[in-house]
């Protein structure tokens, strides 16, 4: 382990972080152990696993896992590692299976992890089947369809870990279209980036950058709508919020989603689709659906790897100190009018995904940060904006700043240091 990893408390101050938290492989290894193996990690939305036998392969930190709904209907998270000599037992990203057979020497595991087949058993030590099932994670819980898992048997119950402040925001996100149930789109954008995972962690809750990094998006929207289009950075009602345990939110449109709906209306075919929707659902419901087209208009961050933004679920998957996969999965209205889901997807694609107007700009910035990090003349990055000016929220669970404040980033690094250096007293 590097010297830096031995002293993570030296890498975070009250209003900034040292560049080595993005660069040092020892720090990365410690994060996988102390963050991703100690706390709740987001896995998937339950609509990705509707039938018994449905599975997804994934990772918790860098540990390969399979998330699978067993024949008893229970969702388990199993370590994707054969108990014989460590080959992964499931190599497909998703599917349906009653069992997983390791291709190396043919050991077969039922989809609840039980070892049920060992070739040539007469040469095998007794009771191997009882002893060597796939390792199941001790804790799997969900909140309103969001499934989390933990390697840590002693982690507090999920809802306690989340807390009322961020739960209120999760609810707002999930109730974004007339409170109708949401289902995950079967397809996902998976974007690999040459950058440390925490750059996405910070950026998804960054209300400061939008007007600059995404200037071209706002310019185009302004041309299309004929109205002045800006990010809500100057509104005093636009807030950044820090909750417990590193969770946070930015809330730029506290009173209205109208500016977002105006942008949806500029999409090709929008006029025809909206007219068809109005005819289908009637005037009263039409307004409600309209408000739900662009999503809830908030960004919600659950430390360390989940972000709820627009209409999508974003999962951050660290691969190595300088390589990360970001997966972006849109949510559709379950059984909703086809025009609603069509418009939601087209608006989502306008900004997000590899061909979107906005998200690639963020990745470009991450790579520029990576280049700047090579400089050693100044080793610190600063998150001091708005520090000392935040106000406590009414609920006792929230710290409130302006939407452009670095309140969320300070909140995330308080949790980072609490997990990485629990004895430091930070
Ligand atoms: S490593 Fe899986 S059966 Fe040998
Ligand atoms: Fe961005």
């Amino acid at each position: 382990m590097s010297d830096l990893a031995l002293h993570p408390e030296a890498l975070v101050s009250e209003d900034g972080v040292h560049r080595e938290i993005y660069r040092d492989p020892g720090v990365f290894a410690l994060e996988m152990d102390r963050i991703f193996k100690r706390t709740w990690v987001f896995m998937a939305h339950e609509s990705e696993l509707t039938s018994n036998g449905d599975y997804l392969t994934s990772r918790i930190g860098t540990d390969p896992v399979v998330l699978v709904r067993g024949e008893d209907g229970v969702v388990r998270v199993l370590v994707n590692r054969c108990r014989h000599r460590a080959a992964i037992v499931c190599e497909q990203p998703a599917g349906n299976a009653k069992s997983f057979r390791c291709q190396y020497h043919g050991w077969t595991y039922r989809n609840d992890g039980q070892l049920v087949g060992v070739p040539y058993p007469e040469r095998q030590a007794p009771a191997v089947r009882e002893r060597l099932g796939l390792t199941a994670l001790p804790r799997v819980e969900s909140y309103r369809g969001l499934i989390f898992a933990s390697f840590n048997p002693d982690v507090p119950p999920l809802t306690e870990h989340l807390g009322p402040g961020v739960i209120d925001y999760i609810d707002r996100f999930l109730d974004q279209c007339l409170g109708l149930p949401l289902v995950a789109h079967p397809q996902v954008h998976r974007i690999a980036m040459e950058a440390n995972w925490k750059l996405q962690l910070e950026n998804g809750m960054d209300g400061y950058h939008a007007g600059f990094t995404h200037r071209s998006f706002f310019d185009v929207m302004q041309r299309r709508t004929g109205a002045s289009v800006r990010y809500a950075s100057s509104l005093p009602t636009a807030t950044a919020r820090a909750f417990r345990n590193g969770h946070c939110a930015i809330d730029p449109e506290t009173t209205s989603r109208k500016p977002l709906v105006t942008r949806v209306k500029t999409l090709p075919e929008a006029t025809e689709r909206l007219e068809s929707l109005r005819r289908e659902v009637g005037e009263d419901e039409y307004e409600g659906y309209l408000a739900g087209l662009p999503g809830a208009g908030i960004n919600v961050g659950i430390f360390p790897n989940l972000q709820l933004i627009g209409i999508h679920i974003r999962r951050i998957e660290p691969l190595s100190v300088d390589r990360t996969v970001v997966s972006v999965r849109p949510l559709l209205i379950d059984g909703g009018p086809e025009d609603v889901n069509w418009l939601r997807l087209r608006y989502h694609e306008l900004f997000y995904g590899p061909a979107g107007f906005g998200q690639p700009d963020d990745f470009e910035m991450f790579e520029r940060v990576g280049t700047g990090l090579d400089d050693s003349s100044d080793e610190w990055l600063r998150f001091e904006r708005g520090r000392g000016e935040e106000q406590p929220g009414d609920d006792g669970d929230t710290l409130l700043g302006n939407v452009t404040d670095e309140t969320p980033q300070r909140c995330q690094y308080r949790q980072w240091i609490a997990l990485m250096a629990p004895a430091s007293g930070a």
Side-chain angles (χ1 to χ4, degrees):
M1 185 177 292
S2 66
D3 286 351
L4 290 164
L6 289 173
H7 298 287
E9 68 281 2
L11 301 175
V12 175
S13 75
E14 284 188 2
D15 53 16
V17 293
H18 191 277
R19 67 176 181 143
E20 291 299 342
I21 70 161
Y22 306 102
R23 292 162 43 98
D24 185 79
V27 171
F28 179 82
L30 200 68
E31 288 175 335
M32 296 306 102
D33 196 40
R34 293 201 175 164
I35 296 177
F36 284 83
K37 283 207 159 151
R38 273 192 187 169
T39 191
W40 286 106
V41 175
F42 173 70
M43 302 304 300
H45 188 264
E46 67 180 7
S47 60
E48 295 173 60
L49 301 159
T50 48
S51 304
N52 293 353
D54 282 356
Y55 69 81
L56 305 166
T57 50
S58 184
R59 286 176 183 270
I60 294 189
T62 47
D63 288 38
V65 295
V66 191
L67 183 68
V68 54
R69 190 179 289 280
E71 297 312 301
D72 52 4
V74 174
V75 173
R76 296 177 179 81
V77 179
L78 307 170
V79 178
N80 191 3
R81 174 199 187 279
C82 183
R83 296 296 303 284
H84 178 220
R85 274 159 51 193
I88 59 167
V89 299
C90 180
E91 69 284 358
Q92 297 299 327
N96 184 282
K98 284 192 166 21
S99 60
F100 303 108
R101 166 173 282 188
C102 177
Q103 295 297 310
Y104 201 172
H105 312 93
W107 286 25
T108 301
Y109 302 87
R110 211 164 53 200
N111 63 14
D112 62 1
Q114 172 75 41
L115 177 60
V116 289
V118 176
Y120 320 128
E122 62 284 358
R123 304 289 300 164
Q124 202 72 43
V128 64
R129 292 186 186 190
E130 288 72 36
R131 282 191 296 120
L132 295 179
L134 293 177
T135 302
L137 266 69
R139 300 289 296 278
V140 181
E141 292 180 20
S142 64
Y143 178 72
R144 293 195 58 187
L146 302 172
I147 303 171
F148 293 74
S150 182
F151 271 103
N152 178 0
D154 301 321
V155 77
L158 177 64
T159 51
E160 188 182 309
H161 167 76
L162 294 171
V166 85
I167 282 179
D168 184 43
Y169 268 79
I170 295 172
D171 288 345
R172 269 179 65 184
F173 178 84
L174 294 174
D175 293 336
Q176 60 180 253
C177 190
L178 294 169
L180 294 167
L182 303 174
V183 286
H185 194 285
Q187 300 299 327
V188 64
H189 275 137
R190 287 171 56 80
I191 307 151
M193 63 178 195
E194 307 286 327
N196 184 271
W197 67 278
K198 296 186 295 299
L199 289 173
Q200 178 65 90
L201 177 82
E202 299 159 10
N203 170 271
M205 298 297 123
D206 183 332
Y208 192 17
H209 79 295
F212 309 97
T213 303
H214 305 306
R215 173 71 188 269
S216 57
F217 174 75
F218 292 107
D219 284 350
V220 169
M221 288 298 103
Q222 189 154 329
R223 278 207 298 278
R224 284 191 186 176
T225 61
S228 167
V229 177
R230 280 189 306 155
Y231 189 70
S233 55
S234 57
L235 293 176
T237 49
T239 54
R241 289 162 187 254
F243 308 113
R244 67 175 69 166
N245 296 330
H247 312 315
C248 45
I250 52 175
D251 192 349
E253 308 280 352
T254 46
T255 51
S256 166
R257 280 183 251 172
K258 267 196 185 139
L260 303 181
V261 174
T262 309
R263 292 178 212 160
V264 178
K265 288 180 176 170
T266 69
L267 290 167
E269 273 189 62
T271 310
E272 299 88 314
R273 291 277 179 172
L274 288 168
E275 267 320 302
S276 137
L277 175 66
R278 192 195 294 267
R279 281 195 301 277
E280 182 180 346
V281 301
E283 201 60 45
D284 289 351
E285 282 199 5
Y286 174 74
E287 290 298 324
Y289 277 117
L290 206 54
L293 291 176
I298 50 178
N299 294 19
V300 188
I302 313 298
F303 189 91
N305 74 327
L306 168 64
Q307 299 183 333
L308 306 171
I309 300 177
I311 68 160
H312 73 263
I313 290 177
R314 183 180 299 186
R315 193 169 184 277
I316 304 170
E317 302 171 16
L319 297 181
S320 65
V321 70
D322 56 2
R323 197 159 166 77
T324 305
V325 168
V326 176
S327 71
V328 171
R329 189 181 290 275
L331 294 170
L332 302 179
I333 312 299
D334 193 11
E338 196 238 321
D339 290 318
V340 169
N341 285 334
W342 189 91
L343 284 161
R344 279 167 66 86
L345 277 175
R346 297 296 88 77
Y347 183 65
H348 165 83
E349 292 157 0
L350 188 62
F351 197 87
Y352 299 105
F357 239 121
Q359 201 172 18
D361 295 337
D362 290 321
F363 293 127
E364 170 64 22
M365 288 304 144
F366 302 159
E367 296 197 0
R368 291 187 191 189
V369 171
T371 304
L373 287 173
D374 288 339
D375 166 59
S376 60
S377 67
D378 179 0
E379 299 199 307
W380 288 82
L381 295 84
R382 292 173 186 83
F383 299 122
E384 60 197 23
R385 190 177 166 84
R387 186 160 80 87
E389 297 184 28
E390 291 135 331
Q391 302 295 321
D394 300 337
D395 56 8
D397 197 41
T398 306
L399 200 57
L400 276 172
N402 178 266
V403 73
T404 64
D405 288 350
E406 282 153 339
T407 304
Q409 291 72 30
R410 288 191 290 276
C411 164
Q412 291 168 332
Y413 282 104
R414 280 195 294 276
Q415 181 69 359
W416 189 91
I417 203 70
L419 291 167
M420 290 285 280
S424 73

